[in-house]
Amino acid sequence: MKRQHEDAGREGDCPVAMGLETGKGKMFPMMTTGDGECGVDELLAALGYKVRASDMADVAHKLEQLDVAMSSDDASHFPQFASDTVHYDPSDLSTWLDSMLCEVNLPLPTLLPSPTATAHCSNGHSLSISSNSTVTKDSTAAPPRASGVYDFEPVPSPAAASVGRVVYETDPQSEKILYPRDSKRIRTCSSSSSSGGPTKEVASFLKQATAALPVVVVDTQETGIRLVHALLACGEAVQQENLNAADALVKQISVLAAFQRGPMRKVAGYFAEALARRIYRHNPLPQADRVALDFLHSHFYESAPYLKFAHFTANQAILEAFAGCHRVHVVDFGLKQGMQWPALLQALALRPGGPPSFRLTGIGPPQTDNSDELQEVGWKLTMLSENIGIDFHFRGFLASSLADIEPQMLLEPEGKKVERDGGDEAVAVNSVMELHQLLARPGAVEKVLGTARALRPRIMTVVEEEANHNGRTFLERFTESLHYYSSMFDSLDNGANGVAEEEIEEQRLHREMADAYLGRQICNVVASEGMDRTERHETLGRWRERMAQAGFEPVHLGSNAFKQANMLLALYASGDGFRVEEAEGCLTLGWHTRPLIATSAWRIGAAAAIR
């Protein structure tokens, strides 16, 4: 049964360069114009409306006049509206209002005169509006911020209080509140005259005018498409080292992401942060404590079936390889919290003829606080083994890299070599999402696989992400990772909808921590380079080539493992959306049609066995 991989990320009609005019440096309409005037309002621009911040009061006045005319009892102003359909371009709101007012034979509005009113523009300048309608720049205003400086402040939530409302088209019951753009852009100044003067009149007028704003319907699907296009365009700008364009696009991504919900909003947020770190050289991500990383890893284990699938399929292959052996030895290249081994110990305890003597060698990185977490894990496994009647021995090795481990360190304590067939021990080597991190160091993978081959294992199990995040170009890695993690986040949010009500809060915590776990991977793939970029995932086909070059040949994972893996998924929220597939003797677990992780098993090839 051969898997069918649907590559949803390579459609040729994707307008990657949306909003970016090649060679001219023109950005999205939310940018400030170069003539010193206020630019188009960012929030309305994200909704598709072109309204200058300096025209907000004028537009509000026009809306008030049109509202009064439309609600008038005298229908003589607009007889054609009762029977004709009016076609207009809603993006140019000001021009449309002018045409509507002309239809009802009303004079075009002008701003009410006031002694002094100050308008603050988005570019940092302030404009002085006087009664003679002349506009001058305030020389005391703060200078505009340099375009190369990025503000890491969060995007304002659309749920802030205001008189305007945004209703999402996909959910008629939900409402989000817009910021009062008029009060943000226009500030009236106090007058020496009485409190009931023109200044108060202007403030009262603006309040009434904005109350007449209609409900704005946001097409979240259209906004989502624009968000994806902006992400791809930003990746292309980074690839071309066009940092000015990338700066504008990453800010546009933050605005568009504010109108999304669920997985898309999370993915856009993490990719926007990673792009910002790369653009503004705020990389790499600060190194987290090993305890914190293991904490996130454990929550990822609980939030989705990926690691459970990896442990189950690897254990099944090891269990079958150990059939009939009385002394077994497992070398784990990434012990972490040892969550993989209780299930294998229990399966060996129930084996006909009694359990074998079990030796586990666990490898892990040193702790920043010099604690010995590996020994703590070993102690817990020893307690479990005593309870189920297994002779268990544990040794732990601390190493900054697997390439620092030598074969002699992993053999018998007396230095006695093990034999592959009929010897003192049957050896298995296990690696779950560890080998890809070695690709940052030239020759490291080859050395580690050589060390594994020197142990003469009966079987070596390898689990890796089924993705290509180690391409030659940044844009290739960025595009692949965008599609990969979109599927991963979608599976986390939608793959556990069938949990019991009393487990909802616990599952929510697991998902939040799992999001952070994947977010660190995204940041490493996108923002880091060189030795710092360790998340260098490669596809199963590439790992086949590497294992063959190291002297290994594939071991087909049997149909029994395939059936039991599907049973495992059935226990996890009915398994809806998840799919197990067999590919040339290997097993993959994916979300719908996209494989996300792959398990393979290997043994020493005939040519390497006689060396």
Side-chain angles (χ1 to χ4, degrees):
M1 179 168 44
K2 194 173 181 70
R3 73 171 183 223
Q4 296 178 351
H5 187 153
E6 178 181 82
D7 192 350
R10 293 178 172 85
E11 291 83 359
D13 58 349
C14 179
V16 172
M18 181 199 66
L20 184 63
E21 194 168 325
T22 305
K24 296 182 181 181
K26 293 186 179 180
M27 311 306 167
F28 282 84
M30 66 177 288
M31 298 273 306
T32 305
T33 59
D35 56 3
E37 297 181 354
C38 296
V40 173
D41 183 84
E42 299 108 338
L43 191 54
L44 290 178
L47 299 177
Y49 295 94
K50 300 176 183 178
V51 180
R52 290 184 176 275
S54 57
D55 295 339
M56 290 291 287
D58 187 36
V59 169
H61 191 184
K62 294 176 183 178
L63 285 169
E64 181 193 31
Q65 285 200 322
L66 184 61
D67 180 65
V68 171
M70 297 292 288
S71 59
S72 173
D73 293 334
D74 184 7
S76 61
H77 292 294
F78 42 91
Q80 70 278 22
F81 292 169
S83 58
D84 296 341
T85 300
V86 180
H87 299 277
Y88 62 92
D89 179 10
S91 64
D92 193 352
L93 191 57
S94 180
T95 303
W96 174 74
L97 286 172
D98 290 341
S99 63
M100 291 292 288
L101 291 174
C102 291
E103 289 285 348
V104 296
N105 298 320
L106 291 177
L108 295 179
T110 57
L111 285 176
L112 294 178
S114 64
T116 307
T118 304
H120 290 274
C121 303
S122 59
N123 63 358
H125 295 113
S126 61
L127 305 180
S128 177
I129 305 175
S130 61
S131 57
N132 58 5
S133 300
T134 59
V135 180
T136 58
K137 289 186 179 180
D138 186 354
S139 60
T140 62
R145 184 174 55 185
S147 60
V149 179
Y150 180 69
D151 188 359
F152 276 89
E153 294 181 358
V155 177
S157 170
S162 174
V163 295
R165 293 180 298 171
V166 173
V167 180
Y168 285 94
E169 187 178 52
T170 56
D171 187 1
Q173 302 299 326
S174 63
E175 293 187 358
K176 294 272 181 138
I177 308 301
L178 288 178
Y179 272 88
R181 310 300 293 190
D182 57 316
S183 61
K184 181 179 179 181
R185 303 291 182 178
I186 306 295
R187 184 182 65 185
T188 57
C189 302
S190 60
S191 174
S192 58
S193 60
S194 63
S195 59
T199 301
K200 185 176 181 180
E201 183 180 359
V202 171
S204 176
F205 155 72
L206 288 175
K207 182 177 181 180
Q208 295 175 3
T210 54
L213 286 173
V215 174
V216 180
V217 179
V218 178
D219 187 347
T220 54
Q221 183 177 6
E222 180 183 354
T223 307
I225 294 174
R226 294 174 60 190
L227 176 59
V228 173
H229 292 171
L231 282 165
L232 295 174
C234 190
E236 186 175 9
V238 171
Q239 168 78 18
Q240 299 172 353
E241 297 185 357
N242 188 346
L243 298 186
N244 289 332
D247 170 72
L249 287 163
V250 79
K251 294 174 183 176
Q252 179 77 352
I253 290 168
S254 299
V255 174
L256 294 173
F259 296 98
Q260 294 297 307
R261 293 172 293 177
M264 190 59 198
R265 182 168 185 166
K266 297 177 184 178
V267 171
Y270 283 117
F271 272 91
E273 178 189 358
L275 286 167
R277 286 184 176 276
R278 187 180 184 97
I279 294 169
Y280 309 115
R281 305 295 190 264
H282 288 277
N283 64 305
L285 196 67
Q287 182 65 36
D289 183 78
R290 175 55 55 177
V291 176
L293 293 178
D294 288 345
F295 173 77
L296 296 178
H297 180 270
S298 65
H299 281 286
F300 180 68
Y301 178 90
E302 296 294 343
S303 66
Y306 297 110
L307 289 177
K308 298 182 181 70
F309 168 85
H311 293 169
F312 173 82
T313 51
N315 284 348
Q316 183 66 27
I318 294 173
L319 185 64
E320 294 176 2
F322 283 169
C325 299
H326 299 289
R327 295 184 61 196
V328 299
H329 179 199
V330 175
V331 177
D332 190 356
F333 279 169
L335 183 64
K336 293 183 172 63
Q337 295 176 322
M339 294 180 291
Q340 179 175 350
W341 305 119
L344 180 62
L345 288 171
Q346 292 173 353
L348 290 173
L350 299 175
R351 194 178 70 171
S357 175
F358 190 95
R359 187 158 70 96
L360 176 64
T361 298
I363 303 174
Q367 304 296 315
T368 55
D369 58 357
N370 296 324
S371 62
D372 197 347
E373 185 180 355
L374 291 183
Q375 292 303 323
E376 294 179 8
V377 173
W379 179 82
K380 293 178 182 178
L381 293 175
T382 300
M383 295 296 100
L384 172 63
S385 300
E386 290 180 357
N387 291 334
I388 61 179
I390 291 184
D391 179 28
F392 180 81
H393 304 276
F394 176 81
R395 285 201 306 166
F397 286 95
L398 298 176
S400 299
S401 172
L402 289 174
D404 298 333
I405 299 293
E406 298 295 337
Q408 295 77 12
M409 301 167 61
L410 305 175
L411 298 176
E412 288 279 5
E414 297 83 3
K416 180 180 178 181
K417 291 185 178 181
V418 297
E419 299 179 4
R420 183 185 179 194
D421 298 317
D424 293 335
E425 281 186 336
V427 178
V429 177
N430 182 74
S431 174
V432 177
M433 301 178 182
E434 296 290 338
L435 294 181
H436 68 267
Q437 301 183 38
L438 300 170
L439 297 175
R441 295 176 56 181
V445 170
E446 291 75 12
K447 183 178 186 302
V448 170
L449 293 180
T451 298
R453 186 181 65 242
L455 297 177
R456 318 294 289 181
R458 285 192 171 218
I459 195 167
M460 179 176 181
T461 52
V462 176
V463 181
E464 286 291 338
E465 290 86 346
E466 181 62 7
N468 181 22
H469 299 159
N470 197 31
R472 293 184 178 180
T473 66
F474 169 78
L475 185 59
E476 179 183 356
R477 299 194 303 268
F478 177 82
T479 304
E480 171 70 12
S481 62
L482 180 60
H483 293 298
Y484 178 85
Y485 286 106
S486 294
S487 297
M488 184 67 77
F489 274 90
D490 189 43
S491 70
L492 291 181
D493 271 35
N494 300 309
N497 292 330
V499 296
E501 185 175 354
E502 60 272 12
E503 299 176 358
I504 291 179
E505 185 62 26
E506 181 181 5
Q507 189 66 23
R508 183 191 63 80
L509 175 61
H510 289 323
R511 285 203 303 268
E512 289 178 354
M513 296 298 101
D515 291 346
Y517 174 80
L518 296 175
R520 292 187 64 87
Q521 291 186 7
I522 292 173
C523 194
N524 187 267
V525 171
V526 175
S528 300
E529 285 295 348
M531 296 288 291
D532 293 328
R533 183 165 61 86
T534 57
E535 299 296 339
R536 296 173 177 254
H537 310 134
E538 293 189 337
T539 61
L540 182 58
R542 188 69 184 96
W543 285 113
R544 283 197 183 99
E545 296 176 3
R546 294 184 183 278
M547 297 299 291
Q549 292 172 359
F552 289 89
E553 63 181 20
V555 175
H556 283 234
L557 299 173
S559 60
N560 187 42
F562 177 84
K563 294 177 181 178
Q564 294 190 37
N566 279 288
M567 293 176 60
L568 173 68
L569 292 181
L571 298 176
Y572 181 84
S574 301
D576 292 339
F578 294 102
R579 178 178 297 181
V580 178
E581 294 185 349
E582 189 270 345
E584 300 182 21
C586 306
L587 293 182
T588 64
L589 174 60
W591 178 245
H592 294 294
T593 59
R594 167 130 196 169
L596 296 176
I597 66 170
T599 301
S600 58
W602 307 86
R603 64 188 173 200
I604 298 179
I610 61 177
R611 294 178 185 174

